[in-house]
Amino acid sequence: MVYDPGAMEAALSAAVGDDPALAGELQAAFFDSAATMIAALAKAAAPAEWERAAWRLKGLAASFGAIELMIAADAAGRAAPGDEAVIDAVRAAID
């Protein structure tokens, strides 16, 4: 995976303390939300939809310390809607 698991663990630890079960649930929620937002980005028909999906994904990534995903989402927000190379880069940042 491209994301930094150490950064994500630090973000989760800061949020929930020493509760591995809750941290695991939040990490699973992160990946579910990221997948939903990436799908929204890929389906965006209008520029406003594209930007909204990219900025939401960037915010999610920042909240969890997923720096590469945050960078890819930021680039997506500045790219033309529907740019397949950008969508591929976003997907690669989470795979």
Side-chain angles (χ1 to χ4, degrees):
M1 293 191 186
V2 174
Y3 79 96
D4 178 358
M8 183 176 287
E9 287 175 17
L12 289 172
S13 179
V16 301
D18 189 25
D19 187 341
L22 182 55
E25 288 178 34
L26 288 174
Q27 187 173 10
F30 164 78
F31 285 109
D32 288 344
S33 294
T36 298
M37 290 179 205
I38 291 168
L41 186 68
K43 293 177 187 175
E49 293 171 349
W50 173 271
E51 280 188 358
R52 185 173 30 253
W55 297 144
R56 285 182 178 169
L57 184 59
K58 181 181 176 185
L60 176 70
S63 296
F64 282 83
I67 304 302
E68 292 296 323
L69 180 58
M70 188 176 68
I71 292 167
D74 181 64
R78 292 180 278 112
D83 186 328
E84 288 297 324
V86 170
I87 295 169
D88 289 344
V90 169
R91 286 184 178 131
I94 196 75
D95 287 337

Coordinates of all heavy atoms in Angstrom, one line a residue:
M1 N 0.8 -1.2 0.0 CA 0.0 0.0 0.0 C 0.9 1.2 0.0 O 1.9 1.3 0.6 CB -0.9 0.0 1.2 CG -1.9 -1.1 1.2 SD -3.1 -0.8 2.5 CE -4.0 -2.3 2.3
V2 N 0.4 2.3 -0.6 CA 1.1 3.5 -0.7 C 1.0 4.3 0.6 O 1.9 5.1 1.0 CB 0.7 4.3 -2.0 CG1 1.3 5.7 -2.0 CG2 1.0 3.5 -3.2
Y3 N -0.2 4.3 1.2 CA -0.4 5.1 2.4 C 0.6 4.6 3.5 O 1.1 3.5 3.5 CB -1.8 5.0 2.9 CG -2.1 3.7 3.7 CD1 -2.1 3.7 5.0 CD2 -2.5 2.6 3.0 CE1 -2.3 2.6 5.8 CE2 -2.7 1.4 3.7 CZ -2.7 1.4 5.1 OH -2.9 0.3 5.8
D4 N 0.9 5.5 4.4 CA 1.9 5.3 5.4 C 1.1 4.7 6.7 O 0.4 5.5 7.4 CB 2.6 6.6 5.8 CG 3.6 6.4 6.9 OD1 3.7 5.3 7.5 OD2 4.2 7.4 7.3
P5 N 1.2 3.4 6.9 CA 0.5 2.8 8.0 C 0.9 3.4 9.4 O 0.1 3.5 10.3 CB 0.8 1.3 8.0 CG 1.9 1.2 7.0 CD 2.0 2.4 6.2
G6 N 2.1 3.9 9.5 CA 2.6 4.5 10.7 C 1.9 5.8 11.0 O 1.5 6.1 12.1
A7 N 1.7 6.6 9.9 CA 1.0 7.9 10.1 C -0.5 7.6 10.4 O -1.0 8.3 11.3 CB 1.1 8.7 8.8
M8 N -1.1 6.6 9.8 CA -2.4 6.3 10.1 C -2.6 5.8 11.5 O -3.5 6.2 12.3 CB -3.0 5.3 9.1 CG -4.5 5.0 9.4 SD -5.3 3.9 8.2 CE -5.4 4.9 6.8
E9 N -1.7 4.9 12.0 CA -1.7 4.5 13.4 C -1.6 5.6 14.3 O -2.2 5.6 15.4 CB -0.6 3.4 13.6 CG -0.9 2.1 12.9 CD 0.2 1.1 13.0 OE1 1.1 1.3 13.9 OE2 0.2 0.1 12.3
A10 N -0.7 6.6 14.0 CA -0.5 7.7 14.9 C -1.8 8.5 15.0 O -2.2 9.0 16.1 CB 0.7 8.6 14.4
A11 N -2.4 8.8 13.8 CA -3.7 9.5 13.8 C -4.7 8.8 14.6 O -5.5 9.5 15.4 CB -4.1 9.8 12.4
L12 N -4.8 7.5 14.4 CA -5.9 6.8 15.1 C -5.6 6.7 16.6 O -6.5 6.9 17.4 CB -6.0 5.3 14.6 CG -6.6 5.2 13.2 CD1 -6.4 3.8 12.6 CD2 -8.0 5.6 13.2
S13 N -4.3 6.6 17.0 CA -4.0 6.6 18.4 C -4.3 7.9 19.1 O -4.8 7.9 20.2 CB -2.5 6.3 18.5 OG -2.1 6.3 19.9
A14 N -4.0 9.0 18.3 CA -4.4 10.3 18.9 C -5.9 10.5 19.1 O -6.3 11.1 20.0 CB -3.8 11.4 18.0
A15 N -6.6 9.8 18.2 CA -8.1 10.0 18.2 C -8.7 9.1 19.3 O -9.7 9.5 19.9 CB -8.7 9.7 16.8
V16 N -8.3 7.8 19.4 CA -9.0 6.9 20.2 C -8.1 6.3 21.4 O -8.6 5.6 22.2 CB -9.5 5.7 19.4 CG1 -10.4 6.2 18.4 CG2 -8.4 4.8 18.8
G17 N -6.9 6.7 21.5 CA -6.0 6.2 22.6 C -5.7 4.8 22.4 O -5.5 4.3 21.2
D18 N -5.7 4.1 23.4 CA -5.2 2.7 23.4 C -6.5 1.7 23.3 O -6.8 1.0 24.3 CB -4.4 2.3 24.6 CG -3.8 0.9 24.5 OD1 -3.6 0.5 23.4 OD2 -3.5 0.4 25.6
D19 N -7.2 1.8 22.2 CA -8.3 1.0 22.0 C -8.2 0.3 20.6 O -8.7 0.9 19.6 CB -9.6 1.8 22.1 CG -10.9 0.9 22.0 OD1 -10.8 -0.2 21.6 OD2 -11.9 1.4 22.4
P20 N -7.5 -0.8 20.5 CA -7.2 -1.4 19.2 C -8.5 -1.8 18.4 O -8.5 -1.7 17.2 CB -6.4 -2.6 19.5 CG -6.2 -2.7 20.9 CD -6.9 -1.5 21.6
A21 N -9.5 -2.2 19.1 CA -10.8 -2.5 18.4 C -11.4 -1.3 17.7 O -11.8 -1.4 16.5 CB -11.8 -3.2 19.4
L22 N -11.4 -0.2 18.5 CA -12.0 1.0 17.9 C -11.1 1.5 16.7 O -11.6 1.9 15.7 CB -12.2 2.1 18.9 CG -12.8 3.4 18.5 CD1 -14.2 3.2 17.8 CD2 -13.0 4.3 19.7
A23 N -9.8 1.4 16.9 CA -8.9 1.9 15.9 C -9.1 1.0 14.6 O -9.1 1.5 13.5 CB -7.4 1.8 16.4
G24 N -9.3 -0.3 14.8 CA -9.5 -1.2 13.6 C -10.8 -0.8 12.9 O -10.9 -0.8 11.7
E25 N -11.9 -0.5 13.7 CA -13.1 -0.1 13.1 C -13.0 1.2 12.3 O -13.5 1.4 11.2 CB -14.2 0.1 14.2 CG -14.7 -1.2 14.8 CD -15.7 -0.9 15.9 OE1 -16.5 0.0 15.8 OE2 -15.7 -1.7 16.9
L26 N -12.3 2.2 12.9 CA -12.1 3.5 12.2 C -11.2 3.3 10.9 O -11.5 3.9 9.9 CB -11.4 4.5 13.1 CG -12.3 5.0 14.2 CD1 -11.5 5.9 15.2 CD2 -13.4 5.8 13.6
Q27 N -10.2 2.4 11.0 CA -9.4 2.1 9.8 C -10.3 1.5 8.7 O -10.2 1.9 7.5 CB -8.2 1.2 10.1 CG -7.3 1.1 9.0 CD -6.0 0.3 9.4 OE1 -5.9 -0.2 10.5 NE2 -5.1 0.4 8.5
A28 N -11.1 0.6 9.1 CA -12.1 0.0 8.1 C -13.0 1.0 7.5 O -13.3 1.0 6.3 CB -12.8 -1.2 8.7
A29 N -13.5 1.9 8.4 CA -14.4 3.0 7.9 C -13.6 3.9 7.0 O -14.2 4.4 6.0 CB -14.9 3.8 9.1
F30 N -12.4 4.2 7.2 CA -11.6 5.0 6.3 C -11.5 4.4 4.9 O -11.8 5.0 3.9 CB -10.1 5.1 6.9 CG -9.2 5.6 5.8 CD1 -9.1 7.0 5.5 CD2 -8.3 4.7 5.2 CE1 -8.2 7.4 4.5 CE2 -7.4 5.2 4.2 CZ -7.4 6.5 3.9
F31 N -11.2 3.1 4.9 CA -11.1 2.4 3.6 C -12.4 2.4 2.8 O -12.5 2.6 1.6 CB -10.5 1.1 3.7 CG -9.0 1.1 3.9 CD1 -8.4 0.8 5.1 CD2 -8.1 1.5 2.9 CE1 -7.1 0.8 5.3 CE2 -6.8 1.6 3.1 CZ -6.2 1.3 4.3
D32 N -13.5 2.2 3.6 CA -14.9 2.2 3.0 C -15.2 3.5 2.5 O -15.7 3.7 1.3 CB -15.9 1.7 4.0 CG -15.9 0.3 4.3 OD1 -15.2 -0.5 3.6 OD2 -16.5 -0.1 5.4
S33 N -14.9 4.6 3.2 CA -15.2 5.9 2.8 C -14.4 6.3 1.6 O -14.9 7.0 0.7 CB -15.0 6.9 4.0 OG -15.9 6.7 5.0
A34 N -13.1 6.0 1.7 CA -12.2 6.3 0.5 C -12.7 5.6 -0.7 O -12.8 6.3 -1.8 CB -10.8 5.9 0.8
A35 N -13.1 4.4 -0.7 CA -13.7 3.7 -1.8 C -14.9 4.4 -2.4 O -15.1 4.5 -3.6 CB -14.0 2.2 -1.5
T36 N -15.8 4.8 -1.5 CA -17.0 5.5 -1.9 C -16.7 6.8 -2.6 O -17.3 7.2 -3.6 CB -17.9 5.8 -0.6 OG1 -18.3 4.5 -0.1 CG2 -19.1 6.5 -1.0
M37 N -15.7 7.6 -2.0 CA -15.4 8.8 -2.6 C -14.6 8.7 -3.9 O -14.8 9.5 -4.8 CB -14.5 9.6 -1.6 CG -15.3 10.1 -0.4 SD -14.3 11.0 0.7 CE -15.2 10.8 2.2
I38 N -13.8 7.7 -4.0 CA -13.1 7.4 -5.3 C -14.2 7.0 -6.4 O -14.1 7.5 -7.5 CB -12.1 6.3 -5.2 CG1 -10.9 6.9 -4.3 CG2 -11.5 5.9 -6.5 CD1 -9.9 5.8 -3.9
A39 N -15.2 6.2 -6.0 CA -16.3 5.9 -6.9 C -17.0 7.2 -7.4 O -17.4 7.3 -8.5 CB -17.2 4.9 -6.3
A40 N -17.3 8.1 -6.4 CA -18.0 9.3 -6.7 C -17.1 10.2 -7.7 O -17.6 10.8 -8.6 CB -18.3 10.1 -5.4
L41 N -15.8 10.2 -7.4 CA -14.9 10.9 -8.3 C -15.0 10.3 -9.7 O -15.1 11.1 -10.7 CB -13.5 10.8 -7.8 CG -12.4 11.7 -8.5 CD1 -12.7 13.2 -8.3 CD2 -11.1 11.3 -8.0
A42 N -14.9 9.0 -9.8 CA -15.0 8.4 -11.2 C -16.3 8.6 -11.9 O -16.3 8.6 -13.1 CB -14.7 6.9 -11.0
K43 N -17.4 8.8 -11.1 CA -18.7 8.9 -11.7 C -19.1 10.4 -11.9 O -20.1 10.7 -12.6 CB -19.8 8.3 -10.8 CG -19.7 6.8 -10.7 CD -20.7 6.3 -9.8 CE -20.5 4.8 -9.5 NZ -21.5 4.3 -8.5
A44 N -18.3 11.3 -11.4 CA -18.7 12.7 -11.5 C -18.9 13.2 -12.9 O -18.0 13.0 -13.8 CB -17.6 13.6 -10.8
A45 N -20.1 13.7 -13.2 CA -20.4 14.2 -14.5 C -20.2 15.7 -14.6 O -19.9 16.2 -15.7 CB -21.9 13.9 -14.8
A46 N -20.3 16.4 -13.6 CA -20.1 17.9 -13.6 C -18.9 18.3 -12.8 O -18.5 17.6 -11.9 CB -21.4 18.5 -13.0
P47 N -18.3 19.4 -13.2 CA -17.1 19.9 -12.5 C -17.3 20.0 -11.0 O -16.4 19.7 -10.2 CB -16.8 21.2 -13.2 CG -17.3 21.1 -14.6 CD -18.6 20.3 -14.4
A48 N -18.4 20.5 -10.6 CA -18.7 20.7 -9.2 C -18.7 19.4 -8.4 O -18.2 19.3 -7.3 CB -20.0 21.5 -8.9
E49 N -19.3 18.3 -9.0 CA -19.3 17.0 -8.4 C -17.8 16.5 -8.3 O -17.5 15.9 -7.3 CB -20.1 16.0 -9.3 CG -21.6 16.3 -9.3 CD -22.3 15.5 -10.3 OE1 -21.7 14.8 -11.1 OE2 -23.5 15.5 -10.3
W50 N -17.1 16.7 -9.3 CA -15.7 16.2 -9.4 C -14.9 16.9 -8.2 O -14.2 16.2 -7.5 CB -15.1 16.6 -10.7 CG -13.6 16.3 -10.9 CD1 -12.6 17.2 -10.6 CD2 -13.0 15.1 -11.3 NE1 -11.4 16.6 -10.9 CE2 -11.6 15.3 -11.3 CE3 -13.4 13.9 -11.7 CZ2 -10.7 14.4 -11.7 CZ3 -12.5 12.9 -12.1 CH2 -11.2 13.2 -12.1
E51 N -15.0 18.2 -8.2 CA -14.3 18.9 -7.1 C -14.7 18.5 -5.7 O -13.9 18.3 -4.8 CB -14.5 20.5 -7.3 CG -13.6 21.1 -8.3 CD -13.7 22.6 -8.3 OE1 -14.5 23.2 -7.5 OE2 -13.0 23.2 -9.1
R52 N -16.0 18.4 -5.5 CA -16.5 18.0 -4.2 C -16.0 16.6 -3.8 O -15.5 16.4 -2.7 CB -18.0 18.0 -4.2 CG -18.7 17.7 -2.9 CD -20.2 17.8 -2.9 NE -20.9 17.5 -4.1 CZ -21.4 18.5 -5.0 NH1 -21.4 19.7 -4.7 NH2 -22.0 18.1 -6.1
A53 N -16.0 15.7 -4.7 CA -15.5 14.3 -4.4 C -14.0 14.4 -4.1 O -13.5 13.8 -3.2 CB -15.7 13.4 -5.6
A54 N -13.2 15.2 -4.9 CA -11.8 15.3 -4.7 C -11.5 15.9 -3.3 O -10.6 15.4 -2.6 CB -11.1 16.1 -5.8
W55 N -12.2 17.0 -3.0 CA -11.9 17.7 -1.7 C -12.3 16.9 -0.5 O -11.6 16.9 0.5 CB -12.5 19.1 -1.7 CG -12.0 20.0 -2.8 CD1 -12.8 20.9 -3.4 CD2 -10.7 20.2 -3.3 NE1 -12.0 21.6 -4.4 CE2 -10.7 21.2 -4.3 CE3 -9.5 19.5 -3.1 CZ2 -9.6 21.5 -5.0 CZ3 -8.4 19.9 -3.8 CH2 -8.4 20.9 -4.8
R56 N -13.4 16.2 -0.6 CA -13.8 15.3 0.5 C -12.8 14.2 0.7 O -12.4 13.8 1.8 CB -15.2 14.7 0.2 CG -16.3 15.7 0.4 CD -17.6 15.1 0.2 NE -18.7 16.1 0.5 CZ -19.9 15.9 0.1 NH1 -20.4 14.8 -0.4 NH2 -20.8 16.9 0.4
L57 N -12.3 13.6 -0.4 CA -11.3 12.6 -0.3 C -10.0 13.1 0.3 O -9.4 12.5 1.1 CB -11.0 12.0 -1.7 CG -10.0 10.8 -1.8 CD1 -10.5 9.7 -0.9 CD2 -9.9 10.3 -3.2
K58 N -9.6 14.3 -0.1 CA -8.4 15.0 0.5 C -8.6 15.2 2.0 O -7.7 14.9 2.7 CB -8.2 16.3 -0.2 CG -6.9 17.0 0.3 CD -6.7 18.3 -0.4 CE -5.5 19.1 0.2 NZ -5.3 20.4 -0.4
G59 N -9.7 15.6 2.4 CA -10.0 15.8 3.8 C -9.9 14.5 4.6 O -9.4 14.5 5.7
L60 N -10.5 13.5 4.0 CA -10.5 12.2 4.7 C -9.1 11.7 4.8 O -8.6 11.3 5.9 CB -11.3 11.2 3.9 CG -11.3 9.7 4.4 CD1 -12.0 9.6 5.7 CD2 -11.8 8.8 3.3
A61 N -8.3 11.8 3.7 CA -6.9 11.4 3.7 C -6.1 12.2 4.8 O -5.3 11.6 5.5 CB -6.3 11.5 2.3
A62 N -6.3 13.5 4.8 CA -5.6 14.3 5.8 C -5.9 13.9 7.2 O -5.0 13.8 8.1 CB -5.9 15.8 5.6
S63 N -7.2 13.6 7.5 CA -7.6 13.2 8.8 C -6.9 11.9 9.3 O -6.8 11.7 10.5 CB -9.1 13.0 8.9 OG -9.8 14.2 8.6
F64 N -6.6 11.0 8.4 CA -6.0 9.7 8.7 C -4.5 9.7 8.4 O -3.9 8.6 8.5 CB -6.7 8.6 8.0 CG -8.0 8.3 8.6 CD1 -9.2 9.0 8.4 CD2 -8.1 7.2 9.6 CE1 -10.4 8.7 9.0 CE2 -9.3 6.9 10.2 CZ -10.5 7.6 9.9
G65 N -3.9 10.7 8.0 CA -2.4 10.7 7.8 C -2.0 10.0 6.5 O -0.9 9.6 6.4
A66 N -3.0 9.8 5.6 CA -2.7 9.2 4.3 C -2.2 10.2 3.3 O -2.9 10.7 2.5 CB -4.0 8.5 3.8
I67 N -0.9 10.5 3.5 CA -0.3 11.7 2.7 C -0.3 11.5 1.2 O -0.7 12.4 0.5 CB 1.1 11.9 3.2 CG1 1.2 12.1 4.7 CG2 1.8 13.1 2.4 CD1 0.4 13.3 5.2
E68 N 0.0 10.3 0.7 CA 0.0 10.1 -0.7 C -1.4 10.2 -1.3 O -1.6 10.8 -2.4 CB 0.6 8.7 -1.1 CG 2.1 8.6 -0.8 CD 2.9 9.6 -1.6 OE1 2.6 9.8 -2.8 OE2 3.9 10.1 -1.1
L69 N -2.4 9.7 -0.6 CA -3.8 9.9 -1.0 C -4.2 11.3 -1.0 O -4.9 11.8 -1.9 CB -4.7 9.0 -0.2 CG -6.2 9.1 -0.6 CD1 -6.4 8.6 -2.0 CD2 -7.0 8.2 0.4
M70 N -3.7 12.0 0.0 CA -4.1 13.5 0.1 C -3.5 14.2 -1.1 O -4.1 15.1 -1.7 CB -3.5 14.0 1.4 CG -4.0 15.5 1.7 SD -3.4 16.1 3.3 CE -1.6 16.2 3.1
I71 N -2.2 13.9 -1.4 CA -1.6 14.6 -2.6 C -2.3 14.2 -3.9 O -2.6 15.1 -4.7 CB -0.1 14.2 -2.6 CG1 0.7 14.8 -1.4 CG2 0.5 14.6 -4.0 CD1 2.0 14.2 -1.2
A72 N -2.7 13.0 -4.0 CA -3.4 12.5 -5.2 C -4.8 13.2 -5.3 O -5.2 13.6 -6.4 CB -3.5 11.0 -5.3
A73 N -5.5 13.3 -4.2 CA -6.8 13.9 -4.2 C -6.7 15.4 -4.5 O -7.5 16.0 -5.2 CB -7.5 13.7 -2.9
D74 N -5.6 16.0 -4.0 CA -5.4 17.5 -4.2 C -5.2 17.7 -5.7 O -5.8 18.6 -6.3 CB -4.2 18.0 -3.4 CG -4.0 19.4 -3.7 OD1 -4.9 20.3 -3.3 OD2 -2.9 19.8 -4.2
A75 N -4.4 16.8 -6.3 CA -4.1 16.9 -7.8 C -5.4 16.7 -8.6 O -5.7 17.4 -9.6 CB -3.1 15.9 -8.2
A76 N -6.3 15.8 -8.1 CA -7.5 15.5 -8.7 C -8.4 16.7 -8.7 O -9.1 17.1 -9.7 CB -8.2 14.3 -8.1
G77 N -8.4 17.4 -7.6 CA -9.3 18.6 -7.4 C -8.9 19.7 -8.4 O -9.7 20.6 -8.7
R78 N -7.6 19.7 -8.8 CA -7.2 20.7 -9.8 C -7.2 20.2 -11.2 O -6.9 21.0 -12.1 CB -5.8 21.2 -9.4 CG -5.8 21.9 -8.1 CD -4.4 22.4 -7.7 NE -3.6 21.3 -7.0 CZ -2.6 20.7 -7.5 NH1 -2.1 21.1 -8.6 NH2 -2.0 19.7 -6.8
A79 N -7.6 19.0 -11.4 CA -7.5 18.4 -12.8 C -8.9 18.5 -13.4 O -9.9 18.9 -12.8 CB -7.2 16.9 -12.7
A80 N -8.9 18.2 -14.7 CA -10.2 18.2 -15.5 C -11.1 17.0 -15.0 O -10.5 15.9 -14.9 CB -9.9 18.2 -17.0
P81 N -12.3 17.3 -14.9 CA -13.2 16.2 -14.5 C -13.1 15.0 -15.5 O -13.0 15.2 -16.7 CB -14.6 16.8 -14.6 CG -14.4 18.2 -14.3 CD -13.1 18.5 -15.0
G82 N -13.1 13.8 -15.0 CA -13.1 12.6 -15.8 C -11.7 12.2 -16.3 O -11.6 11.2 -17.0
D83 N -10.7 12.8 -15.8 CA -9.3 12.5 -16.2 C -8.9 11.1 -15.7 O -8.7 11.0 -14.5 CB -8.3 13.6 -15.7 CG -6.9 13.4 -16.2 OD1 -6.5 12.3 -16.4 OD2 -6.2 14.4 -16.3
E84 N -8.9 10.2 -16.5 CA -8.6 8.8 -16.1 C -7.3 8.6 -15.5 O -7.1 7.8 -14.5 CB -8.8 7.8 -17.3 CG -10.2 7.6 -17.8 CD -11.1 7.0 -16.7 OE1 -10.6 6.1 -16.0 OE2 -12.3 7.4 -16.6
A85 N -6.3 9.3 -15.9 CA -4.9 9.2 -15.3 C -5.0 9.7 -13.9 O -4.3 9.1 -13.0 CB -3.9 10.0 -16.1
V86 N -5.7 10.7 -13.6 CA -5.8 11.2 -12.2 C -6.6 10.2 -11.4 O -6.2 10.0 -10.2 CB -6.5 12.6 -12.3 CG1 -6.9 13.1 -10.9 CG2 -5.6 13.6 -12.9
I87 N -7.7 9.7 -11.9 CA -8.4 8.7 -11.1 C -7.5 7.5 -10.8 O -7.5 6.9 -9.7 CB -9.7 8.3 -11.9 CG1 -10.6 9.5 -12.0 CG2 -10.4 7.1 -11.2 CD1 -11.8 9.3 -13.0
D88 N -6.8 7.0 -11.8 CA -5.9 5.9 -11.6 C -4.8 6.2 -10.5 O -4.5 5.4 -9.7 CB -5.1 5.5 -12.9 CG -6.1 4.9 -13.9 OD1 -7.2 4.4 -13.5 OD2 -5.7 4.8 -15.1
A89 N -4.3 7.5 -10.5 CA -3.3 7.9 -9.5 C -4.0 7.9 -8.1 O -3.3 7.5 -7.1 CB -2.8 9.3 -9.8
V90 N -5.2 8.3 -8.0 CA -5.9 8.3 -6.7 C -6.1 6.8 -6.3 O -5.8 6.5 -5.1 CB -7.3 9.0 -6.8 CG1 -8.1 8.8 -5.6 CG2 -7.1 10.5 -7.0
R91 N -6.5 6.0 -7.2 CA -6.7 4.6 -6.8 C -5.3 3.9 -6.4 O -5.3 3.2 -5.4 CB -7.3 3.8 -8.0 CG -8.7 4.1 -8.2 CD -9.3 3.2 -9.3 NE -10.7 3.5 -9.5 CZ -11.3 3.7 -10.6 NH1 -10.6 3.7 -11.7 NH2 -12.6 3.9 -10.7
A92 N -4.3 4.3 -7.1 CA -3.0 3.7 -6.8 C -2.5 4.2 -5.4 O -1.8 3.5 -4.7 CB -1.9 4.1 -7.8
A93 N -2.9 5.4 -5.0 CA -2.5 5.9 -3.7 C -3.1 5.1 -2.5 O -2.7 5.2 -1.4 CB -2.8 7.4 -3.6
I94 N -4.2 4.4 -2.8 CA -4.9 3.7 -1.7 C -4.7 2.2 -1.8 O -4.9 1.4 -0.8 CB -6.4 4.0 -1.6 CG1 -7.0 3.6 -0.3 CG2 -7.1 3.5 -2.8 CD1 -6.7 4.5 0.8
D95 N -4.2 1.7 -2.9 CA -4.0 0.2 -3.1 C -2.7 -0.2 -2.6 O -1.8 0.4 -2.5 CB -4.1 -0.1 -4.6 CG -5.6 -0.1 -5.1 OD1 -6.5 -0.2 -4.3 OD2 -5.7 0.1 -6.3

